[in-house]
Amino acid sequence: MERKWWMEQIGYQIYPKSFKDTNNDGIGDIPGNIEKLDYLQELGVTLLWICPVYDSPMFDNGYDISNYEGIWPTFGTMEDMDTLIQEAKKRGISLMMDLVVNHCSDQHEWFQQAIKDKNSKYRNYFIFKKGIDGKLPCNWRSVFGGSVWEPVPGEEDTYYYHTFAKQQPDLNWECPELRQEIIDMINRWLERGITGYRVDAINFIKKGEFIDREPDGADGLANCFDLMRNVPGIEEFYAQLRHEAFDLHECATVSETVGVGYDIIDTVVGEKGCFSMMFDFNYTNLDVENEEYFRRRDWTVDEFKKAIYLSQKEIQKVGWSSPFFENHDLPRSIQKNIKDEEYQNEIGAKALGVLFFHLRGTPFIYQGQELGMPNAIRSSIDEFDDLNAHSMYQRSLQEGFSEEESLRFVNLRSRDNARTSMPWSNAPYGGFSSVEPWIKMNETYPTINVENQINDPNSVFSFYKQMIQLRKDNVETLVYGLFEEYDCGNQEVISYSRNGDKKFIILVNLSKEEQKINSVDGKIVLNNYDTFDNTLKPYQAIVVEA
Ligand code: NOJ
């Protein structure tokens, strides 16, 4: 594969509402991101993805954009944004924004015009349909629960389509004028100095035929992901995005393409694909079915291992990936991927770090992952902020689960788990703000915080720093080297190698049993325990330079 600048980067994701608040309103802001650039530089980050900061009614925390070229005033101004771009650059960090163009906000001028005037040109920017025999145009369930169709206020038997919440009407990509507006907007931002995009829900932009399916839930609706995303024909939209926007700049793009099959990833990444790299969710959602919190699965480590191997091998054939275990939509990985509670601690956090960070691709760390942050357990549904937590709770009750069980499901899966404010110190409110944050804090902040970890050589933070340095010192192998499964003589262990001008062997024991392995010749360059004696201790993870 041709080498590109973005392959060597160390990615980091910021959830700006919860990173750092500088004007003490309890909500993070762009000046807060600027203030903490030194911290990111200290860690070794070189590519920053910042979740949406555009103007928005914030129904879905910025994934409902009302102006693609304005900044939400609570976050700051366009000048702040320019300063962030420049200050990041000075520290060797390039900035990716979030590109949210499957849908916008119902408060966006385009949508407001479209519902005000049926003859407006904006009518064709969205998807409107008449009901059929007094029923909805079809019985698909939206990602956040309820129908994908919402009645248009003031119009009889007319609906608009929304993949996510009803406040997030889908844009009609079949409309050439709409596509042009989006492409122009992308180009303007790239010219402004951002170096790329994380591309939200982009595999939803083409819709399948709006037909009814057999209902599969107590709500009478049907999960129709196969008709809602990765629909054939989408590659034409991808091609236009690539040729008329991305290819005009030396930019880096990462697609959020949940549910994309390996048979079609060549449309997503690689020579023919639209994006530089992709987040592969095939190994991040093993704990639930259809991303529905109450449909829990008893996943196994073996299954996790096979899913990671498969992802690596399939993407390697075609293009570049972006390994990750956490983001703002997922629970914290130490609870999701570590089955034994007593190891949901710094040992577990480091083991998972070793596992994902050495995979082939550009790794992305989610804020707080480098501290080993756990989930934030809540005792009542009222303590949750996220709209999806509430919707999943209701659906779970509707499916017959008790209040207690439903709360447990939400605690395990809620997106709020990852959205709590960044704990900078053990000061009140974790040094995030001087007032109570917008979302209930993670109670672990007095112990799990940056100040405690930054100078402690044994902390999770220092371990991440070491992993980053190792990658930077061994680019030929840890960036460009091939991924291969490695047979360590024990099927219970996750083991793979990276092969370039050197060879690194990665061995991870995700169990509380000791695991014997064949002896490995070489030097141990990373270890989440002090010693290693040819038997991996519970949740021990090592990297060997062979
Ligand atoms: C995926 C984003 O990551 C998530 O936070 C958001 O709610 C949906 N897309 C809708 O934009």
Side-chain angles (χ1 to χ4, degrees):
M1 245 191 113
E2 200 191 327
R3 295 184 176 193
K4 298 279 191 188
W5 69 271
W6 34 261
M7 294 177 173
E8 294 181 22
Q9 307 308 309
I10 310 291
Y12 188 94
Q13 181 192 353
I14 281 186
Y15 199 64
K17 239 184 143 179
S18 287
F19 199 56
K20 173 72 187 160
D21 173 21
T22 54
N23 62 352
N24 296 315
D25 57 3
I27 299 173
D29 42 48
I30 299 173
N33 300 337
I34 300 170
E35 191 184 302
K36 294 300 181 188
L37 284 170
D38 288 341
Y39 166 78
L40 298 175
Q41 190 183 20
E42 166 80 20
L43 178 61
V45 170
T46 58
L47 182 62
L48 194 60
W49 152 29
I50 172 172
C51 282
V53 288
Y54 310 95
D55 212 356
S56 162
M58 286 282 155
F59 193 80
D60 186 21
N61 284 339
Y63 284 92
D64 46 335
I65 298 171
S66 53
N67 177 3
Y68 286 99
E69 287 169 84
I71 301 292
W72 188 43
T74 312
F75 278 151
T77 61
M78 196 57 99
E79 265 181 5
D80 292 331
M81 199 56 210
D82 288 338
T83 310
L84 175 63
I85 297 170
Q86 295 316 322
E87 288 299 316
K89 211 185 227 166
K90 280 189 201 157
R91 291 164 178 82
I93 300 174
S94 29
L95 192 82
M96 301 176 106
M97 289 184 84
D98 221 302
L99 180 63
V100 190
V101 288
N102 171 67
H103 47 272
C104 60
S105 157
D106 61 354
Q107 299 307 306
H108 195 293
E109 187 58 23
W110 296 341
F111 189 72
Q112 288 297 315
Q113 293 294 338
I115 54 169
K116 206 161 81 193
D117 175 8
K118 275 191 203 164
N119 300 315
S120 139
K121 72 165 186 169
Y122 296 111
R123 191 77 178 181
N124 198 25
Y125 280 29
F126 298 90
I127 302 165
F128 292 96
K129 282 261 175 281
K130 286 277 177 206
I132 299 173
D133 302 330
K135 290 193 311 192
L136 299 171
C138 66
N139 69 349
W140 302 359
R141 181 183 299 116
S142 71
V143 174
F144 293 153
S147 167
V148 293
W149 298 105
E150 180 65 17
V152 179
E155 285 181 43
E156 210 172 304
D157 199 29
T158 308
Y159 303 86
Y160 67 88
Y161 181 92
H162 59 92
T163 300
F164 297 93
K166 63 177 189 225
Q167 292 83 353
Q168 295 166 296
D170 277 43
L171 292 163
N172 177 18
W173 275 70
E174 306 294 337
C175 166
E177 291 81 18
L178 175 269
R179 295 202 299 272
Q180 195 57 50
E181 296 245 27
I182 289 174
I183 281 168
D184 293 345
M185 176 273 289
I186 295 174
N187 283 320
R188 282 193 292 271
W189 269 108
L190 288 167
E191 277 150 26
R192 201 168 188 115
I194 62 164
T195 48
Y197 277 115
R198 174 267 188 180
V199 191
D200 186 74
I202 195 67
N203 53 336
F204 284 91
I205 58 179
K206 177 98 186 168
K207 322 301 180 203
E209 203 187 333
F210 297 129
I211 48 169
D212 274 350
R213 279 277 173 78
E214 195 58 39
D216 61 12
D219 57 2
L221 299 169
N223 177 304
C224 291
F225 279 157
D226 61 322
L227 295 168
M228 292 166 77
R229 63 189 187 194
N230 308 313
V231 171
I234 197 167
E235 57 287 350
E236 284 165 33
F237 300 154
Y238 285 169
Q240 190 178 358
L241 268 175
R242 175 175 171 175
H243 296 127
E244 295 177 26
F246 303 152
D247 274 1
L248 310 183
H249 313 263
E250 261 294 284
C251 72
T253 53
V254 193
S255 66
E256 187 207 29
T257 32
V258 185
V260 71
Y262 295 126
D263 52 332
I264 54 163
I265 49 171
D266 60 346
T267 61
V268 178
V269 288
E271 242 166 75
K272 289 190 285 165
C274 177
F275 310 98
S276 319
M277 46 195 153
M278 61 182 276
F279 287 129
D280 183 5
F281 289 78
N282 288 321
Y283 57 82
T284 59
N285 284 322
L286 294 178
D287 56 325
V288 286
E289 251 158 52
N290 279 340
E291 295 152 61
E292 290 177 316
Y293 301 179
F294 52 90
R295 294 193 205 277
R296 294 206 56 84
R297 294 185 65 245
D298 196 15
W299 62 277
T300 63
V301 172
D302 191 50
E303 195 181 0
F304 187 41
K305 169 172 89 172
K306 287 186 178 136
I308 292 175
Y309 287 175
L310 185 67
S311 166
Q312 283 281 291
K313 289 192 289 188
E314 290 296 327
I315 299 180
Q316 178 164 271
K317 281 186 209 159
V318 184
W320 201 248
S321 110
S322 27
F324 74 107
F325 277 172
E326 295 190 14
N327 68 26
H328 64 293
D329 293 329
L330 292 170
R332 292 292 184 175
S333 57
I334 64 170
Q335 257 108 11
K336 192 176 60 157
N337 298 125
I338 295 207
K339 293 197 154 219
D340 302 292
E341 263 177 47
E342 64 269 39
Y343 291 99
Q344 292 174 349
N345 56 14
E346 66 286 354
I347 288 286
K350 291 175 188 172
L352 291 175
V354 168
L355 175 55
F356 102 95
F357 196 80
H358 300 94
L359 295 171
R360 185 171 179 275
T362 303
F364 274 80
I365 303 163
Y366 178 70
Q367 67 179 52
Q369 184 180 350
E370 77 279 23
L371 306 175
M373 277 184 82
N375 282 343
I377 308 302
R378 305 184 193 285
S379 51
S380 147
I381 188 66
D382 302 331
E383 290 176 8
F384 287 88
D385 172 83
D386 180 30
L387 61 129
N388 203 30
H390 291 274
S391 143
M392 285 290 166
Y393 181 76
Q394 289 309 327
R395 287 208 46 221
S396 171
L397 294 176
Q398 209 178 11
E399 294 289 336
F401 293 101
S402 69
E403 286 183 6
E404 202 185 347
E405 282 168 315
S406 304
L407 185 65
R408 190 176 78 85
F409 297 144
V410 178
N411 264 317
L412 284 168
R413 253 281 156 176
S414 161
R415 309 196 295 177
D416 285 351
N417 280 316
R419 297 179 178 188
T420 56
S421 44
M422 183 76 176
W424 294 103
S425 69
N426 60 8
Y429 311 119
F432 161 75
S433 175
S434 65
V435 301
E436 191 160 356
W438 65 279
I439 187 170
K440 188 167 178 258
M441 289 198 70
N442 192 315
E443 282 163 9
T444 57
Y445 81 84
T447 47
I448 301 180
N449 63 57
V450 171
E451 199 176 71
N452 276 355
Q453 296 202 14
I454 202 158
N455 295 317
D456 171 0
N458 293 318
S459 66
V460 181
F461 177 89
S462 297
F463 196 80
Y464 265 81
K465 252 181 95 167
Q466 282 176 48
M467 294 198 296
I468 291 171
Q469 198 53 49
L470 186 70
R471 181 181 160 96
K472 288 183 177 169
D473 292 343
N474 293 282
V475 168
E476 281 305 316
T477 308
L478 289 176
V479 175
Y480 296 111
L482 286 179
F483 165 94
E484 263 178 51
E485 285 183 30
Y486 175 81
D487 181 6
C488 68
N490 182 339
Q491 285 305 308
E492 302 297 316
V493 172
I494 307 187
S495 50
Y496 62 89
S497 65
R498 297 296 308 280
N499 309 280
D501 60 347
K502 297 181 186 168
K503 178 176 180 132
F504 287 91
I505 299 167
I506 290 87
L507 296 148
V508 183
N509 174 16
L510 284 196
S511 78
K512 62 176 180 205
E513 280 80 43
E514 295 203 339
Q515 301 290 350
K516 279 210 173 325
I517 54 169
N518 296 337
S519 74
V520 196
D521 268 350
K523 183 175 142 213
I524 296 183
V525 288
L526 274 174
N527 187 352
N528 63 344
Y529 277 75
D530 292 337
T531 56
F532 170 68
D533 51 16
N534 275 338
T535 298
L536 289 170
K537 296 188 180 64
Y539 289 91
Q540 183 163 24
I542 59 171
V543 178
V544 181
E545 186 176 337

